[in-house]
C-alpha cells in the first residue's frame, strides 16, 4: 500500500465499462407509449469506468480492470480512458460479447431510468483480476461494484486485503452482495435502496439509516457512507456517526452522481482524510456532476472542485 501522500493517490478499479446512450425526454414514458424526445447523447459509462474517470480527474493514478467487446464502442471507450490518463493495460477484449451498453432516459425533472445490457462485462473473471495483481497490491484503494461477476470483486478484495490495501464496495445490484464480500469490504458506499435490500431493514428515518449502517459494520464492514440523495450522506465508522447535508444545486441530470461520490471518496481516503471529511468533499464532486448533462462528461476536474463556490441562489 502506498502511504506516501507526497505522491499521487493510487486507485485500482475493478468493474464495468459501458457505452451510455442518453435520451432526454419531457417525462419518462409508460408502457406502450411513443413520443418525441429532446435529444440523444452518446457517452461512456458503467459504474467501474465512472469511478475510475472521476478518480483520475481528481488527480489519482488510476488503473482499470475490465472487459470490453471487439467493437467500435470498445475503441471509443479505451481512447476516452487514455485521454483521462487511466492505465488501460488490464482491460481485456471479449471474443463473443459486445461492449456493455446502457440506454438512459432522463426527463425534465432530472429523474432517470436505465436499461443495461452487460455484454462483455459478464465475462470479467478472477483470472482477469489476478492478471492485475501488481496494480491492486500497489494501490491505496481498490474499488469494486457488482455490474460484473461477484467472483471478480471477491478475488480483487482478497488480493487487496493480503497487501493491506483499503477495499471499497459499491453494492449494486444489492442482490449480489454476499457475507463473504461484505467481510472483505473495508468501506461500503450504498444508497438507501441498496442498504435496505442488504440488511433487510427499513430506512425511512434517520434512526433507521443508522441502524442499517450498524448492521453492515456488524457483518464486517469498517466504514459506511450511506448516500441519501437530497438528504445528504450519513457516515459511520469506529469514530462514530456523522451527517453531511446535501450540497444544494440545481440538478439537470443525476446520472452517475453516486459514482462521482464514490470515486471522489476513494481519492480523499487515499489521501488520508477521515471518513466524514472525505464524504464532505465527495459530496461537492457529486453536486457539481448533477449540474451537467451526461455521465463521465459531467465529472469535474480537481481544479474545478478546488475553485468551486456554491451558487448564490442555492445557498
Amino acid at each position: 500500500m502506498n502511504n506516501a501522500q507526497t505522491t499521487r493517490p493510487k486507485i485500482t478499479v475493478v468493474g464495468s465499462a459501458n457505452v451510455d446512450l442518453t435520451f432526454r425526454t419531457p417525462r419518462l414514458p409508460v408502457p406502450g407509449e411513443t413520443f418525441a424526445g429532446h435529444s440523444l447523447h452518446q457517452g461512456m459509462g458503467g459504474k467501474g469506468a465512472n469511478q475510475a474517470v472521476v478518480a483520475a480527474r481528481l488527480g489519482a493514478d488510476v488503473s482499470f480492470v475490465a472487459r470490453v467487446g471487439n467493437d467500435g464502442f470498445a475503441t471509443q471507450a479505451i481512447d476516452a480512458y487514455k485521454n483521462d490518463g487511466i492505465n488501460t493495460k488490464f482491460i481485456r477484449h471479449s471474443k463473443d460479447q459486445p461492449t456493455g451498453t446502457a440506454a438512459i432516459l432522463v426527463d425534465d425533472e432530472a429523474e432517470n431510468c436505465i436499461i443495461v445490457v452487460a455484454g462483455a462485462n459478464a465475462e470479467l473473471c478472477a483470472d482477469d483480476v489476478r492478471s492485475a495483481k501488481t496494480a491492486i497490491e500497489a494501490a491505496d484503494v481498490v474499488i469494486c461494484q457488482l455490474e460484473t461477476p461477484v467472483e471478480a470483486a471477491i478475488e480483487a478484495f482478497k488480493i487487496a486485503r493480503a497487501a493491506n490495501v483499503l477495499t471499497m464496495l459499491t453494492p449494486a445490484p444489492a442482490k449480489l452482495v454476499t457475507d463473504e464480500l461484505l467481510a472483505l469490504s473495508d468501506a461500503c458506499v450504498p444508497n438507501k435502496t441498496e442498504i435496505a435490500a442488504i440488511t433487510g431493514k427499513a430506512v425511512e428515518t434517520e434512526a433507521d439509516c443508522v441502524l442499517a449502517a450498524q448492521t453492515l459494520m456488524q457483518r464486517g464492514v469498517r466504514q459506511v457512507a450511506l448516500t441519501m440523495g437530497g438528504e445528504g450522506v450519513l457516515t459511520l465508522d469506529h469514530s462514530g456517526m456523522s451527517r453531511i447535508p446535501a450540497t444544494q444545486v440545481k440538478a439537470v441530470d443525476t446520472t452517475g452522481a453516486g459514482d462521482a461520490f464514490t470515486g471522489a471518496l476513494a481519492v480523499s481516503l487515499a489521501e488520508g482524510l477521515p471518513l466524514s471529511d472525505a464524504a464532505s468533499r465527495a459530496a461537492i464532486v457529486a453536486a457539481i456532476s448533477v449540474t451537467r448533462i451526461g455521465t463521465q462528461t459531467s465529472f469535474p476536474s480537481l481544479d474545478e472542485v478546488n475553485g468551486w463556490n456554491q451558487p448564490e441562489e442555492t445557498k
Side-chain angles (χ1 to χ4, degrees):
M1 181 174 179
N2 173 28
N3 289 313
Q5 292 309 318
T6 55
T7 62
R8 295 165 63 195
K10 295 183 183 295
I11 309 292
T12 295
V13 181
V14 178
S16 54
N18 289 337
V19 170
D20 288 346
L21 302 175
T22 302
F23 300 81
R24 299 286 305 192
T25 66
R27 56 181 172 75
L28 300 181
V30 298
E33 182 180 20
T34 300
F35 62 86
H38 297 317
S39 63
L40 170 64
H41 176 269
Q42 179 181 318
M44 303 302 151
K47 286 186 175 297
N50 292 345
Q51 293 168 5
V53 168
V54 74
R57 291 190 187 165
L58 295 177
D61 181 352
V62 179
S63 294
F64 185 30
V65 184
R67 280 261 186 175
V68 294
N70 269 315
D71 50 32
F73 282 163
T75 300
Q76 293 176 43
I78 291 174
D79 286 347
Y81 305 151
K82 288 180 177 178
N83 286 339
D84 275 310
I86 295 170
N87 177 11
T88 61
K89 174 182 177 181
F90 305 109
I91 299 177
R92 291 184 171 181
H93 292 267
S94 169
K95 294 180 180 179
D96 305 313
Q97 294 294 323
T99 299
T101 305
I104 304 168
L105 276 67
V106 183
D107 70 14
D108 288 344
E109 301 301 319
E111 295 296 329
N112 67 71
C113 61
I114 304 173
I115 300 170
V116 179
V117 176
N121 290 313
E123 293 186 348
L124 189 68
C125 63
D127 282 344
D128 297 332
V129 173
R130 284 189 284 269
S131 75
K133 183 179 179 182
T134 54
I136 294 171
E137 291 176 334
D140 296 304
V141 181
V142 171
I143 313 174
C144 290
Q145 329 76 36
L146 300 174
E147 290 181 333
T148 51
V150 68
E151 292 79 13
I154 288 172
E155 184 65 19
F157 282 1
K158 284 181 176 178
I159 294 171
R161 273 287 177 87
N164 197 32
V165 173
L166 181 75
T167 58
M168 179 178 290
L169 175 67
T170 299
K175 66 180 181 181
L176 298 179
V177 176
T178 65
D179 287 338
E180 180 182 15
L181 185 58
L182 284 178
L184 289 167
S185 302
D186 294 314
C188 187
V189 190
N191 61 27
K192 290 174 73 173
T193 300
E194 290 156 359
I195 201 169
I198 295 166
T199 64
K201 298 183 182 298
V203 288
E204 296 177 359
T205 67
E206 182 163 316
D208 292 338
C209 292
V210 173
L211 181 59
Q214 289 172 336
T215 300
L216 286 185
M217 294 186 70
Q218 290 166 2
R219 293 172 66 178
V221 176
R222 301 174 186 177
Q223 298 176 313
V224 179
L226 173 57
T227 61
M228 301 181 291
E231 300 173 60
V233 182
L234 184 147
T235 65
L236 185 68
D237 63 6
H238 69 278
S239 65
M241 189 268 286
S242 294
R243 189 76 157 73
I244 293 94
T247 302
Q248 298 301 314
V249 295
K250 181 175 176 55
V252 298
D253 185 355
T254 59
T255 311
D259 296 327
F261 178 88
T262 300
L265 185 72
V267 173
S268 290
L269 289 177
E271 291 173 338
L273 288 181
L275 178 61
S276 60
D277 292 343
S280 293
R281 186 165 176 79
I284 293 173
V285 176
I288 295 172
S289 78
V290 304
T291 65
R292 304 167 178 176
I293 295 173
T295 305
Q296 292 175 19
T297 53
S298 75
F299 297 156
S301 67
L302 180 59
D303 286 343
E304 288 179 290
V305 175
N306 288 339
W308 187 79
N309 289 308
Q310 190 171 340
E312 286 295 331
E313 65 270 20
T314 64
K315 289 182 179 179

